[in-house]
Amino acid sequence: MTIAALPEILTGADDLSPWPASTTLLPHGGLAVGGVALTEIAERFDTPAYVLDEGEVRGRCRTYRDVFPDAEVLYAAKAFLSRAMVRWVREEGLGLDVCSAGELELAVTAGFPPERMVLHGNAKSPRDIAAALRLGVGRIVIDSPSEIARIAAAVGPHGHQKVMVRVVPGVSAGGHDKIRTGTEDQKFGLSPADGGAQHAIARILSQPQLELTGLHCHIGSQITEVKPYLTALRRMVGLMAHVRDTHGTALPELDMGGGHGIAYRPGDPVLDLALLARQLRGELAESCAAVGLTVPRLVIEPGRAIAGPAGVALYRVLAVKHTGERVFVAVDGGMSDNPRPALYGARYAPRLVGRRSAAGSRTTTVVGRHCEAGDVLAADVELPGDIHPGDLLAVPVAGAYQLSMASGYNMVGRPPVIAVHEGSARVLVRRETLDDFRSRDIGR
Protein backbone atom coordinates (compact mmCIF):
# COMPACT_ATOMS: atom_id res chain seq x y z
CA MET A 1 0.00 0.00 0.00
CA THR A 2 1.42 3.37 -0.97
CA ILE A 3 2.18 5.84 1.81
CA ALA A 4 -0.15 8.80 1.55
CA ALA A 5 1.22 10.91 4.40
CA LEU A 6 4.01 13.35 3.72
CA PRO A 7 7.35 12.36 5.27
CA GLU A 8 8.65 14.46 8.12
CA ILE A 9 11.84 16.48 7.76
CA LEU A 10 14.88 14.60 9.01
CA THR A 11 16.67 16.05 12.00
CA GLY A 12 20.18 15.52 13.27
CA ALA A 13 18.88 12.95 15.76
CA ASP A 14 17.34 10.90 12.98
CA ASP A 15 20.43 9.40 11.35
CA LEU A 16 19.10 6.83 8.90
CA SER A 17 22.42 6.26 7.14
CA PRO A 18 22.48 2.46 7.68
CA TRP A 19 18.88 2.09 6.47
CA PRO A 20 17.78 1.46 2.85
CA ALA A 21 17.93 4.61 0.73
CA SER A 22 14.15 4.53 0.33
CA THR A 23 13.59 4.93 4.09
CA THR A 24 11.48 7.93 5.11
CA LEU A 25 10.20 9.28 8.40
CA LEU A 26 6.43 9.48 8.75
CA PRO A 27 4.31 11.49 11.17
CA HIS A 28 3.98 10.29 14.77
CA GLY A 29 7.17 8.27 14.76
CA GLY A 30 6.36 6.12 11.75
CA LEU A 31 8.93 4.83 9.30
CA ALA A 32 8.50 3.61 5.73
CA VAL A 33 10.79 1.45 3.59
CA GLY A 34 10.17 1.03 -0.12
CA GLY A 35 7.11 3.23 0.23
CA VAL A 36 5.45 0.95 2.80
CA ALA A 37 4.98 1.79 6.49
CA LEU A 38 6.71 -0.67 8.79
CA THR A 39 3.69 -0.58 11.11
CA GLU A 40 1.52 -1.72 8.21
CA ILE A 41 3.86 -4.64 7.52
CA ALA A 42 3.73 -5.68 11.19
CA GLU A 43 -0.08 -5.53 11.18
CA ARG A 44 -0.49 -7.43 7.90
CA PHE A 45 2.21 -10.05 8.30
CA ASP A 46 2.74 -10.18 12.09
CA THR A 47 6.15 -10.19 13.82
CA PRO A 48 8.93 -11.07 13.87
CA ALA A 49 9.42 -10.45 10.17
CA TYR A 50 12.18 -9.53 7.76
CA VAL A 51 11.56 -6.69 5.31
CA LEU A 52 13.64 -6.68 2.13
CA ASP A 53 13.81 -3.60 -0.12
CA GLU A 54 13.96 -4.80 -3.72
CA GLY A 55 15.09 -1.40 -4.98
CA GLU A 56 18.01 -1.37 -2.55
CA VAL A 57 19.14 -4.82 -3.67
CA ARG A 58 18.97 -3.87 -7.32
CA GLY A 59 20.69 -0.54 -6.70
CA ARG A 60 23.59 -2.20 -4.93
CA CYS A 61 23.95 -4.73 -7.74
CA ARG A 62 24.16 -1.84 -10.21
CA THR A 63 26.73 -0.05 -8.07
CA TYR A 64 28.99 -3.10 -8.27
CA ARG A 65 28.53 -3.30 -12.03
CA ASP A 66 29.38 0.41 -12.31
CA VAL A 67 32.52 0.39 -10.16
CA PHE A 68 33.78 -2.97 -11.49
CA PRO A 69 32.81 -2.71 -15.18
CA ASP A 70 35.51 -5.11 -16.39
CA ALA A 71 35.22 -7.63 -13.56
CA GLU A 72 32.91 -10.57 -13.08
CA VAL A 73 30.68 -9.88 -10.09
CA LEU A 74 29.21 -12.92 -8.33
CA TYR A 75 26.56 -12.49 -5.64
CA ALA A 76 27.43 -14.67 -2.62
CA ALA A 77 24.23 -16.64 -2.09
CA LYS A 78 25.12 -17.65 1.46
CA ALA A 79 24.24 -14.13 2.63
CA PHE A 80 20.58 -14.62 1.65
CA LEU A 81 18.93 -16.57 -1.12
CA SER A 82 15.37 -16.90 -2.36
CA ARG A 83 13.78 -17.32 -5.77
CA ALA A 84 13.09 -13.59 -5.97
CA MET A 85 16.68 -12.78 -5.01
CA VAL A 86 17.87 -15.12 -7.78
CA ARG A 87 15.73 -13.23 -10.28
CA TRP A 88 16.91 -9.78 -9.14
CA VAL A 89 20.58 -10.79 -9.30
CA ARG A 90 20.14 -12.36 -12.74
CA GLU A 91 18.29 -9.36 -14.14
CA GLU A 92 20.97 -7.00 -12.82
CA GLY A 93 23.70 -8.92 -14.64
CA LEU A 94 25.54 -10.59 -11.75
CA GLY A 95 26.73 -14.16 -11.49
CA LEU A 96 26.16 -16.35 -8.45
CA ASP A 97 28.45 -17.92 -5.86
CA VAL A 98 26.87 -20.98 -4.18
CA CYS A 99 28.08 -23.28 -1.41
CA SER A 100 25.84 -26.34 -1.57
CA ALA A 101 23.62 -28.46 -3.76
CA GLY A 102 20.65 -26.80 -2.07
CA GLU A 103 21.68 -23.28 -3.08
CA LEU A 104 22.68 -24.47 -6.54
CA GLU A 105 19.43 -26.30 -7.25
CA LEU A 106 17.24 -23.49 -5.89
CA ALA A 107 19.00 -21.03 -8.19
CA VAL A 108 18.69 -23.29 -11.24
CA THR A 109 15.01 -24.01 -10.64
CA ALA A 110 14.50 -20.24 -10.30
CA GLY A 111 15.95 -19.77 -13.79
CA PHE A 112 19.58 -18.86 -13.10
CA PRO A 113 22.05 -20.10 -15.77
CA PRO A 114 24.32 -22.68 -14.07
CA GLU A 115 27.27 -21.71 -16.25
CA ARG A 116 27.27 -18.32 -14.48
CA MET A 117 27.68 -19.97 -11.07
CA VAL A 118 30.70 -20.89 -8.99
CA LEU A 119 30.51 -23.67 -6.36
CA HIS A 120 32.50 -23.16 -3.15
CA GLY A 121 32.90 -25.18 0.04
CA ASN A 122 35.73 -26.47 2.19
CA ALA A 123 34.07 -29.91 2.42
CA LYS A 124 31.87 -30.58 -0.58
CA SER A 125 29.63 -33.60 -0.22
CA PRO A 126 29.16 -36.19 -2.98
CA ARG A 127 25.71 -34.67 -3.48
CA ASP A 128 27.21 -31.18 -3.94
CA ILE A 129 29.66 -32.41 -6.58
CA ALA A 130 27.09 -34.56 -8.36
CA ALA A 131 24.60 -31.70 -8.53
CA ALA A 132 27.26 -29.31 -9.84
CA LEU A 133 28.26 -31.68 -12.64
CA ARG A 134 24.70 -32.71 -13.49
CA LEU A 135 23.49 -29.11 -13.74
CA GLY A 136 26.61 -27.79 -15.49
CA VAL A 137 27.98 -25.33 -12.92
CA GLY A 138 30.50 -22.92 -14.43
CA ARG A 139 33.41 -23.48 -12.04
CA ILE A 140 34.13 -25.50 -8.92
CA VAL A 141 36.59 -24.02 -6.41
CA ILE A 142 38.85 -26.77 -5.11
CA ASP A 143 39.52 -26.32 -1.41
CA SER A 144 41.46 -29.46 -0.45
CA PRO A 145 43.70 -32.05 -2.19
CA SER A 146 41.15 -34.85 -1.81
CA GLU A 147 38.64 -32.96 -3.94
CA ILE A 148 40.86 -33.17 -7.00
CA ALA A 149 40.56 -36.95 -7.37
CA ARG A 150 36.89 -36.94 -6.32
CA ILE A 151 35.90 -34.34 -8.91
CA ALA A 152 38.03 -35.90 -11.63
CA ALA A 153 36.49 -39.30 -10.99
CA ALA A 154 32.97 -37.86 -10.98
CA VAL A 155 33.63 -36.02 -14.27
CA GLY A 156 34.87 -39.21 -15.91
CA PRO A 157 37.64 -39.72 -18.50
CA HIS A 158 35.73 -38.02 -21.30
CA GLY A 159 34.14 -35.21 -19.30
CA HIS A 160 35.25 -31.65 -18.69
CA GLN A 161 34.95 -29.28 -15.76
CA LYS A 162 36.42 -25.84 -15.09
CA VAL A 163 37.95 -25.46 -11.64
CA MET A 164 39.80 -22.92 -9.52
CA VAL A 165 42.03 -23.38 -6.46
CA ARG A 166 41.32 -21.57 -3.21
CA VAL A 167 44.56 -20.13 -1.89
CA VAL A 168 45.34 -18.88 1.61
CA PRO A 169 47.40 -15.72 0.98
CA GLY A 170 48.46 -15.23 4.61
CA VAL A 171 46.52 -12.00 5.13
CA SER A 172 44.52 -11.42 8.30
CA ALA A 173 41.51 -9.15 7.82
CA GLY A 174 37.92 -8.92 8.98
CA GLY A 175 35.69 -7.72 11.78
CA HIS A 176 36.06 -10.76 14.08
CA ASP A 177 38.37 -13.75 14.52
CA LYS A 178 35.61 -16.10 13.40
CA ILE A 179 35.28 -14.42 10.01
CA ARG A 180 38.98 -14.04 9.16
CA THR A 181 39.66 -16.63 6.49
CA GLY A 182 42.90 -15.54 4.82
CA THR A 183 45.39 -16.95 7.33
CA GLU A 184 47.04 -20.34 7.82
CA ASP A 185 45.20 -21.32 11.01
CA GLN A 186 41.69 -22.02 9.72
CA LYS A 187 39.87 -24.58 7.61
CA PHE A 188 39.72 -22.88 4.22
CA GLY A 189 42.01 -23.13 1.24
CA LEU A 190 45.53 -24.27 0.45
CA SER A 191 48.69 -22.45 1.46
CA PRO A 192 51.64 -21.52 -0.76
CA ALA A 193 53.77 -21.29 2.39
CA ASP A 194 53.81 -25.06 2.92
CA GLY A 195 53.61 -25.94 -0.78
CA GLY A 196 50.04 -27.23 -0.56
CA ALA A 197 48.69 -24.80 -3.15
CA GLN A 198 51.51 -25.52 -5.62
CA HIS A 199 51.08 -29.28 -5.24
CA ALA A 200 47.32 -29.05 -5.82
CA ILE A 201 47.83 -26.90 -8.93
CA ALA A 202 50.29 -29.41 -10.37
CA ARG A 203 47.86 -32.28 -9.75
CA ILE A 204 44.98 -30.44 -11.40
CA LEU A 205 47.06 -29.60 -14.46
CA SER A 206 47.83 -33.32 -14.82
CA GLN A 207 44.13 -34.17 -15.04
CA PRO A 208 43.01 -33.67 -18.67
CA GLN A 209 39.32 -33.51 -17.75
CA LEU A 210 39.90 -30.61 -15.34
CA GLU A 211 40.57 -27.11 -16.69
CA LEU A 212 42.27 -24.79 -14.19
CA THR A 213 40.91 -21.32 -14.99
CA GLY A 214 42.40 -19.39 -12.12
CA LEU A 215 43.08 -18.88 -8.44
CA HIS A 216 40.68 -17.83 -5.71
CA CYS A 217 41.10 -16.25 -2.29
CA HIS A 218 38.79 -14.82 0.35
CA ILE A 219 40.57 -13.10 3.22
CA GLY A 220 37.67 -12.41 5.58
CA SER A 221 34.43 -10.52 6.14
CA GLN A 222 33.46 -7.04 7.27
CA ILE A 223 36.72 -5.60 5.92
CA THR A 224 36.69 -1.80 5.79
CA GLU A 225 40.20 -1.07 4.48
CA VAL A 226 41.60 -1.53 0.98
CA LYS A 227 45.16 -2.39 2.00
CA PRO A 228 44.58 -6.08 2.93
CA TYR A 229 43.07 -6.72 -0.51
CA LEU A 230 46.11 -5.19 -2.23
CA THR A 231 48.50 -7.28 -0.14
CA ALA A 232 46.55 -10.45 -0.96
CA LEU A 233 46.40 -9.55 -4.65
CA ARG A 234 50.18 -9.12 -4.89
CA ARG A 235 50.72 -12.54 -3.33
CA MET A 236 48.18 -14.14 -5.64
CA VAL A 237 49.86 -12.63 -8.71
CA GLY A 238 53.18 -13.96 -7.44
CA LEU A 239 51.70 -17.46 -7.30
CA MET A 240 50.21 -17.06 -10.78
CA ALA A 241 53.67 -16.12 -12.06
CA HIS A 242 55.06 -19.27 -10.40
CA VAL A 243 52.42 -21.36 -12.20
CA ARG A 244 53.39 -19.76 -15.51
CA ASP A 245 57.10 -20.29 -14.92
CA THR A 246 56.74 -23.87 -13.66
CA HIS A 247 54.02 -25.23 -15.91
CA GLY A 248 53.90 -22.82 -18.84
CA THR A 249 50.26 -22.01 -18.04
CA ALA A 250 48.92 -18.45 -17.86
CA LEU A 251 45.76 -18.54 -15.75
CA PRO A 252 43.03 -16.24 -17.10
CA GLU A 253 41.10 -15.51 -13.87
CA LEU A 254 41.82 -14.15 -10.40
CA ASP A 255 38.98 -14.27 -7.86
CA MET A 256 39.55 -11.94 -4.88
CA GLY A 257 36.43 -13.00 -2.99
CA GLY A 258 34.27 -10.56 -1.06
CA GLY A 259 34.00 -9.54 2.58
CA HIS A 260 33.28 -5.87 1.84
CA GLY A 261 32.44 -4.11 5.09
CA ILE A 262 29.14 -2.27 5.64
CA ALA A 263 27.77 -0.07 8.43
CA TYR A 264 25.39 -1.68 10.92
CA ARG A 265 25.09 1.50 13.02
CA PRO A 266 25.44 5.21 12.26
CA GLY A 267 29.12 6.13 12.18
CA ASP A 268 30.42 2.62 11.54
CA PRO A 269 33.28 2.48 9.01
CA VAL A 270 32.52 1.10 5.54
CA LEU A 271 34.64 -0.10 2.66
CA ASP A 272 34.96 2.49 -0.11
CA LEU A 273 34.00 0.42 -3.16
CA ALA A 274 35.12 2.99 -5.72
CA LEU A 275 38.53 3.23 -4.05
CA LEU A 276 38.77 -0.55 -3.81
CA ALA A 277 37.97 -0.99 -7.50
CA ARG A 278 40.41 1.70 -8.61
CA GLN A 279 43.29 0.45 -6.48
CA LEU A 280 42.68 -3.23 -7.25
CA ARG A 281 42.78 -2.51 -10.98
CA GLY A 282 45.93 -0.43 -10.60
CA GLU A 283 47.69 -2.96 -8.39
CA LEU A 284 46.70 -5.84 -10.67
CA ALA A 285 48.11 -4.08 -13.71
CA GLU A 286 51.35 -3.10 -11.95
CA SER A 287 51.93 -6.50 -10.34
CA CYS A 288 51.33 -8.35 -13.59
CA ALA A 289 53.59 -5.99 -15.52
CA ALA A 290 56.36 -6.54 -12.97
CA VAL A 291 56.38 -10.31 -13.60
CA GLY A 292 55.42 -10.24 -17.28
CA LEU A 293 51.94 -11.72 -16.85
CA THR A 294 48.92 -11.02 -19.00
CA VAL A 295 46.39 -9.31 -16.72
CA PRO A 296 43.77 -11.91 -15.68
CA ARG A 297 40.09 -11.13 -15.44
CA LEU A 298 39.17 -10.01 -11.94
CA VAL A 299 36.32 -11.77 -10.11
CA ILE A 300 34.70 -10.51 -6.90
CA GLU A 301 32.02 -12.02 -4.68
CA PRO A 302 29.96 -9.51 -2.64
CA GLY A 303 27.12 -10.91 -0.55
CA ARG A 304 26.56 -8.97 2.67
CA ALA A 305 27.28 -5.66 0.91
CA ILE A 306 24.34 -6.28 -1.44
CA ALA A 307 21.77 -7.96 0.80
CA GLY A 308 22.62 -6.65 4.27
CA PRO A 309 21.61 -2.97 4.04
CA ALA A 310 18.44 -3.92 2.09
CA GLY A 311 16.92 -5.74 5.06
CA VAL A 312 15.05 -4.62 8.18
CA ALA A 313 13.95 -6.90 11.04
CA LEU A 314 10.68 -6.13 12.85
CA TYR A 315 9.96 -7.27 16.42
CA ARG A 316 7.15 -6.73 18.90
CA VAL A 317 8.12 -5.96 22.51
CA LEU A 318 6.84 -8.67 24.86
CA ALA A 319 8.26 -7.57 28.20
CA VAL A 320 10.31 -4.83 29.87
CA LYS A 321 12.31 -5.80 32.96
CA HIS A 322 14.24 -3.50 35.29
CA THR A 323 17.03 -5.41 37.05
CA GLY A 324 19.19 -3.22 39.23
CA GLU A 325 20.64 -0.57 36.96
CA ARG A 326 19.83 -2.48 33.78
CA VAL A 327 16.77 -2.43 31.56
CA PHE A 328 15.99 -5.50 29.46
CA VAL A 329 13.53 -5.27 26.57
CA ALA A 330 12.43 -8.72 25.45
CA VAL A 331 11.05 -9.18 21.93
CA ASP A 332 9.26 -11.96 20.06
CA GLY A 333 12.36 -13.06 18.14
CA GLY A 334 15.97 -13.61 19.10
CA MET A 335 18.97 -15.77 18.36
CA SER A 336 16.89 -18.20 16.27
CA ASP A 337 16.39 -15.47 13.65
CA ASN A 338 19.65 -13.58 14.26
CA PRO A 339 22.56 -15.55 15.75
CA ARG A 340 25.18 -12.95 14.77
CA PRO A 341 25.36 -11.10 18.13
CA ALA A 342 25.90 -14.42 19.93
CA LEU A 343 28.42 -15.69 17.36
CA TYR A 344 30.44 -12.56 16.63
CA GLY A 345 29.35 -9.91 19.11
CA ALA A 346 27.66 -8.07 16.23
CA ARG A 347 26.20 -4.67 17.16
CA TYR A 348 22.90 -3.26 15.89
CA ALA A 349 20.89 -0.04 16.30
CA PRO A 350 17.21 -0.89 16.95
CA ARG A 351 14.63 1.88 16.69
CA LEU A 352 11.16 2.38 18.10
CA VAL A 353 8.68 2.85 15.26
CA GLY A 354 4.97 3.57 15.17
CA ARG A 355 4.72 6.17 17.90
CA ARG A 356 6.49 9.34 18.92
CA SER A 357 7.92 9.18 22.45
CA ALA A 358 8.42 12.29 24.58
CA ALA A 359 10.42 10.36 27.14
CA GLY A 360 14.16 10.71 27.38
CA SER A 361 16.37 7.91 26.14
CA ARG A 362 17.70 5.20 28.41
CA THR A 363 20.45 2.62 27.96
CA THR A 364 18.69 -0.64 27.21
CA THR A 365 19.57 -4.19 26.22
CA VAL A 366 17.26 -5.81 23.69
CA VAL A 367 17.03 -9.56 24.29
CA GLY A 368 15.28 -12.45 22.61
CA ARG A 369 12.77 -14.99 23.88
CA HIS A 370 15.04 -18.02 23.90
CA CYS A 371 16.36 -20.07 26.81
CA GLU A 372 19.93 -18.76 26.62
CA ALA A 373 21.60 -15.99 28.59
CA GLY A 374 23.49 -15.15 25.40
CA ASP A 375 20.25 -14.48 23.50
CA VAL A 376 20.98 -10.76 23.12
CA LEU A 377 20.03 -8.87 19.96
CA ALA A 378 21.38 -5.42 20.86
CA ALA A 379 23.34 -4.65 24.02
CA ASP A 380 23.52 -1.19 25.61
CA VAL A 381 21.52 0.75 23.06
CA GLU A 382 19.58 3.98 23.54
CA LEU A 383 15.80 3.58 23.42
CA PRO A 384 12.98 5.74 24.82
CA GLY A 385 12.57 5.37 28.57
CA ASP A 386 8.85 4.66 28.24
CA ILE A 387 9.17 1.66 25.94
CA HIS A 388 6.54 -0.93 26.84
CA PRO A 389 5.02 -4.25 25.73
CA GLY A 390 3.29 -3.96 22.38
CA ASP A 391 5.78 -1.44 20.97
CA LEU A 392 7.33 -2.16 17.59
CA LEU A 393 11.11 -2.24 17.16
CA ALA A 394 12.83 -2.12 13.79
CA VAL A 395 16.44 -3.18 13.30
CA PRO A 396 18.21 -2.13 10.08
CA VAL A 397 20.87 -4.02 8.12
CA ALA A 398 19.09 -7.35 8.62
CA GLY A 399 19.28 -8.64 5.05
CA ALA A 400 22.37 -10.85 5.31
CA TYR A 401 23.31 -13.80 7.50
CA GLN A 402 20.09 -13.76 9.49
CA LEU A 403 17.46 -15.87 7.73
CA SER A 404 20.24 -17.86 6.05
CA MET A 405 21.64 -18.73 9.52
CA ALA A 406 18.28 -19.00 11.31
CA SER A 407 17.48 -22.10 13.37
CA GLY A 408 14.54 -23.98 14.77
CA TYR A 409 15.54 -23.37 18.38
CA ASN A 410 12.59 -23.67 20.80
CA MET A 411 10.43 -24.37 17.73
CA VAL A 412 9.36 -20.75 17.47
CA GLY A 413 9.49 -20.86 13.66
CA ARG A 414 11.56 -18.77 11.28
CA PRO A 415 10.13 -15.39 10.27
CA PRO A 416 8.80 -14.55 6.80
CA VAL A 417 10.58 -12.36 4.28
CA ILE A 418 8.43 -9.50 3.00
CA ALA A 419 9.61 -7.68 -0.12
CA VAL A 420 8.76 -3.99 -0.45
CA HIS A 421 9.03 -2.02 -3.66
CA GLU A 422 7.42 1.18 -4.91
CA GLY A 423 4.69 1.21 -2.31
CA SER A 424 3.69 -2.46 -2.34
CA ALA A 425 4.56 -5.42 -0.12
CA ARG A 426 4.51 -9.13 -0.88
CA VAL A 427 5.65 -12.34 0.80
CA LEU A 428 8.83 -13.88 -0.62
CA VAL A 429 9.33 -16.57 2.03
CA ARG A 430 6.40 -17.55 4.24
CA ARG A 431 6.55 -17.86 8.01
CA GLU A 432 7.54 -21.28 9.35
CA THR A 433 4.67 -22.83 11.29
CA LEU A 434 3.97 -25.61 13.74
CA ASP A 435 2.69 -27.66 10.81
CA ASP A 436 6.17 -27.46 9.28
CA PHE A 437 7.73 -28.89 12.44
CA ARG A 438 5.07 -31.60 12.69
CA SER A 439 5.44 -32.66 9.04
CA ARG A 440 9.18 -33.25 9.43
CA ASP A 441 8.79 -35.31 12.61
CA ILE A 442 7.71 -38.72 11.25
CA GLY A 443 8.88 -40.98 14.09
CA ARG A 444 6.90 -42.60 16.90
Side-chain angles (χ1 to χ4, degrees), residues 13-14 322 327 352 355-364 382-388 391:
D14 291 312
H322 297 259
V327 178
L352 173 67
R355 71 176 179 90
R356 178 73 70 189
S357 173
S361 65
R362 180 162 183 176
T363 302
T364 304
E382 296 300 311
L383 287 172
D386 64 349
I387 196 164
H388 56 73
D391 277 339

Side-chain angles (χ1 to χ4, degrees), residues 120-416:
H120 284 284
N122 70 294
K124 302 175 190 68
S125 71
R127 179 173 173 246
D128 295 333
I129 294 173
L133 298 178
R134 171 172 51 84
L135 296 172
V137 73
R139 283 152 290 177
I140 298 175
V141 179
I142 289 175
D143 201 285
S144 63
S146 62
E147 288 185 351
I148 300 170
R150 290 171 57 208
I151 294 172
V155 170
H158 305 296
H160 179 266
Q161 177 62 52
K162 293 180 178 180
V163 299
M164 304 181 83
V165 171
R166 180 160 179 171
V167 175
V168 178
V171 176
S172 178
H176 191 279
D177 286 345
K178 292 181 180 179
I179 51 176
R180 292 173 185 156
T181 57
T183 56
E184 312 284 336
D185 55 350
Q186 40 73 42
K187 67 179 185 176
F188 294 103
L190 296 158
S191 173
D194 62 8
Q198 294 91 326
H199 180 64
I201 290 167
R203 285 184 57 194
I204 293 168
L205 292 173
S206 71
Q207 301 281 347
Q209 64 270 58
L210 301 183
E211 178 187 349
L212 183 62
T213 67
L215 303 182
H216 174 283
C217 75
H218 178 73
I219 58 176
S221 296
Q222 270 301 89
I223 302 168
T224 57
E225 297 180 344
V226 172
K227 184 177 178 181
Y229 289 104
L230 303 181
T231 301
L233 184 144
R234 283 192 291 270
R235 294 177 183 178
M236 297 294 285
V237 170
L239 182 56
M240 295 180 88
H242 170 81
V243 173
R244 188 266 323 268
D245 296 342
T246 304
H247 303 286
T249 300
L251 300 176
E253 297 178 323
L254 175 58
D255 190 330
M256 292 301 298
H260 306 156
I262 60 175
Y264 281 86
R265 299 176 297 168
D268 280 355
V270 299
L271 182 65
D272 185 331
L273 288 183
L275 179 65
L276 174 69
R278 185 169 63 252
Q279 294 200 5
L280 274 181
R281 282 194 297 267
E283 186 62 50
L284 184 59
E286 290 181 14
S287 296
C288 288
V291 294
L293 270 181
T294 300
V295 175
R297 187 184 190 194
L298 187 64
V299 184
I300 58 166
E301 300 172 349
R304 179 198 317 267
I306 288 175
V312 176
L314 295 180
Y315 300 103
R316 191 70 71 179
V317 175
L318 299 179
V320 178
K321 184 182 294 185
H322 297 259
T323 305
E325 295 298 316
R326 304 200 69 182
V327 178
F328 292 96
V329 173
V331 298
D332 55 358
M335 65 191 304
S336 65
D337 61 78
N338 184 7
R340 295 186 67 254
L343 286 173
Y344 314 133
R347 302 296 301 273
Y348 289 85
R351 180 188 182 98
L352 173 67
V353 295
R355 71 176 179 90
R356 178 73 70 189
S357 173
S361 65
R362 180 162 183 176
T363 302
T364 304
T365 294
V366 179
V367 299
R369 56 170 295 178
H370 297 289
C371 299
E372 299 284 342
D375 182 21
V376 174
L377 288 175
D380 301 325
V381 295
E382 296 300 311
L383 287 172
D386 64 349
I387 196 164
H388 56 73
D391 277 339
L392 185 66
L393 292 184
V395 185
V397 201
Y401 300 108
Q402 291 196 19
L403 182 60
S404 64
M405 297 175 73
S407 73
Y409 189 37
N410 293 152
M411 292 190 178
V412 301
R414 287 171 289 186

